[in-house]
């Protein structure tokens, strides 16, 4: 009986491996195309604005926010802090999805499909003319923030990152708001337009955003150097 049980066990394992083979082949046939389709959508979304004509029901990313077309106009919903709206490749079937994600995770998902060129399928040199400048300006701000403290003089409405938290100047004094656990306040380069933003983010994602801009590290140094 033990002999027959062993044979049956080996046969079931073999049949399981055989049945799994075609699934893996079917999956791999659309994986790369999903990545390329997601890149094409992200490149298309980068050209959209809130005033772009659309068809009711369309879903897109506009200015980094999740957007749905209602009565011919995009209605946007901002992603949570440190997230951006992106098109991502599906894993188990053909197609893409539009969702909020960190830039580093989105880039990694597209890279795993075998599609090269990042979120939009383009090299750094082919990106917008303001990409590198945004990274360098954000680096300048992060270095400037290092010298600030809660009692530093400021002008009403001025924002900064102080001791890892978000700070806003009210009546000549900084009011600090700590970031959530695991997050730190950074100046980050915008992706789709000139400029920077101050957000609470993980250090890893912040570094990935600077690397994507071509500017190097958070403070203008190589990523291998401790920040």
């Amino acid at each position: 009986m033990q002999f027959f049980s062993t044979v049956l066990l080996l046969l079931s394992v073999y049949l399981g491996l055989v049945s799994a083979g075609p699934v893996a082949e079917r999956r791999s046939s659309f994986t790369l195309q999903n990545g390329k389709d997601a890149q094409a959508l992200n490149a298309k979304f980068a050209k959209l604005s809130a005033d772009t004509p659309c068809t009711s029901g369309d879903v897109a990313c506009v200015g980094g926010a999740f957007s749905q077309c209602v009565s011919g106009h995009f209605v946007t919903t901002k992603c949570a802090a440190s997230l951006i709206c992106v098109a991502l490749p599906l894993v188990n079937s053909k197609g893409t999805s539009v969702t909020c994600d960190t830039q580093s995770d989105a880039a990694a998902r597209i890279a795993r499909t075998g599609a090269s060129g990042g979120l939009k399928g383009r090299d750094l040199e082919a990106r917008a003319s303001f990409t590198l400048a945004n990274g360098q300006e954000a680096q300048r701000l992060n270095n400037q923030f290092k010298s600030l403290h809660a009692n530093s003089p400021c002008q009403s409405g001025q924002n900064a990152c102080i001791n890892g938290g978000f700070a806003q100047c009210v009546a000549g004094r900084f009011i600090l708001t700590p970031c959530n656990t695991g997050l730190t306040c950074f100046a980050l380069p915008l992706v789709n337009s000139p400029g920077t933003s101050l957000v609470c983010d993980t250090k890893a994602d912040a570094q990935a955003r600077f690397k994507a801009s071509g500017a190097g590290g958070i403070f203008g140094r190589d990523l291998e150097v401790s920040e």
Side-chain angles (χ1 to χ4, degrees):
M1 289 295 294
Q2 183 176 3
F3 171 76
F4 287 108
S5 297
T6 302
V7 171
L8 288 173
L9 175 61
L10 291 174
L11 180 60
S12 64
V13 170
Y14 171 76
L15 291 175
L17 291 174
V18 170
S19 63
V23 173
E25 291 176 0
R26 288 197 299 271
R27 181 176 298 174
S28 63
S29 67
F30 56 72
T31 300
L32 176 58
Q33 189 59 52
N34 284 0
K36 291 181 177 179
D37 289 345
Q39 288 175 325
L41 283 175
N42 287 323
K44 176 183 177 182
F45 294 161
K47 301 176 183 178
L48 300 180
S49 69
D51 298 324
T52 301
C54 58
T55 303
S56 292
D58 284 352
V59 173
C61 297
V62 179
F66 181 85
S67 306
Q68 187 170 19
C69 186
V70 178
S71 300
H73 297 281
F74 279 118
V75 176
T76 61
T77 302
K78 290 185 178 180
C79 295
S82 81
L83 303 183
I84 59 171
C85 180
V86 286
L88 295 177
L90 296 182
V91 176
N92 296 318
S93 60
K94 293 181 180 180
T96 60
S97 63
V98 179
T99 186
C100 293
D101 194 7
T102 65
Q103 181 168 321
S104 57
D105 182 66
R109 292 192 185 204
I110 289 178
R112 283 197 293 269
T113 69
S116 61
L119 295 180
K120 303 174 189 174
R122 297 178 293 174
D123 294 329
L124 285 175
E125 291 77 12
R127 291 184 180 176
S129 59
F130 53 73
T131 304
L132 177 59
N134 285 0
Q136 293 172 334
E137 174 61 15
Q139 288 171 337
R140 186 189 68 78
L141 288 172
N142 286 324
N143 280 299
Q144 177 184 321
F145 295 157
K146 282 183 176 182
S147 64
L148 299 180
H149 52 81
N151 296 320
S152 294
C154 60
Q155 296 181 347
S156 293
Q158 178 184 351
N159 295 328
C161 294
I162 298 179
N163 296 330
F166 179 82
Q168 186 172 27
C169 185
V170 178
R173 294 179 61 86
F174 278 117
I175 305 299
L176 274 61
T177 303
C179 294
N180 291 334
T181 303
L183 303 181
T184 304
C185 182
F186 295 110
L188 296 179
L190 295 181
V191 176
N192 297 318
S193 60
T196 61
S197 62
L198 303 188
V199 299
C200 293
D201 195 6
T202 63
K203 184 176 180 180
D205 186 65
Q207 287 177 329
R209 294 196 186 201
F210 278 97
K211 184 177 180 181
S213 76
I218 296 171
F219 300 100
R221 295 174 291 173
D222 292 337
L223 293 178
E224 290 76 15
V225 178
S226 176
E227 306 290 4

